[in-house]
Amino acid sequence: MEHTYYVSCSMEQCGDLIHSAIVDGSITGELLDHYAVKGPNGLECAVMVYEKHYWRVGNRLTLTVTIDNMSAHTRVHIIGGGGGGGLIRFDWGAAESFEDVVEEALRPYAL
């Protein structure tokens, strides 16, 4: 699965779409932390870490989302993790499902 997307919306709109899909679109989704940095000439980068409980793996997974405007279009990179239990990292596809939430939210703006 590709984990980097380019979209036609602004960073702010992109962040709002992702946040709404994860937090407002589920019972257990929450934003753990958000960090943004601004550079010269309007360049920006934001990192958001979300967490959500997945019943099929019986624990919470994290999703790290990085958004920047350092290329011609807004770039989004996502990394899911935390699935599985103990030494076994098999998550029954839950991390991919978490990543799919972002892909679906941004599909209308995908380039």
Side-chain angles (χ1 to χ4, degrees):
M1 174 180 190
E2 179 62 43
H3 298 283
T4 300
Y5 306 93
Y6 291 89
V7 294
S8 60
C9 56
S10 69
M11 280 188 55
E12 182 177 356
Q13 184 181 12
C14 183
D16 289 346
L17 289 164
I18 293 168
H19 186 82
S20 180
I22 294 173
V23 175
D24 301 334
S26 73
I27 295 170
T28 62
E30 66 179 294
L31 177 65
L32 295 180
D33 199 6
H34 173 268
Y35 179 77
V37 65
K38 295 185 180 205
N41 302 321
L43 295 178
E44 298 178 68
C45 180
V47 178
M48 298 163 292
V49 179
Y50 290 93
E51 187 177 64
K52 183 176 177 180
H53 185 271
Y54 274 83
W55 298 106
R56 75 178 107 166
V57 293
N59 66 9
R60 298 182 71 78
L61 277 74
T62 61
L63 187 70
T64 303
V65 180
T66 304
I67 305 171
D68 73 67
N69 65 354
M70 296 181 193
S71 59
H73 300 283
T74 301
R75 178 175 33 204
V76 181
H77 185 79
I78 57 175
I79 303 167
L87 297 175
I88 300 172
R89 296 180 57 135
F90 188 70
D91 67 6
W92 301 97
E96 188 173 330
S97 291
F98 203 178
E99 294 168 358
D100 288 347
V101 170
V102 173
E103 182 181 4
E104 288 299 316
L106 299 178
R107 186 177 308 274
Y109 305 94
L111 296 175

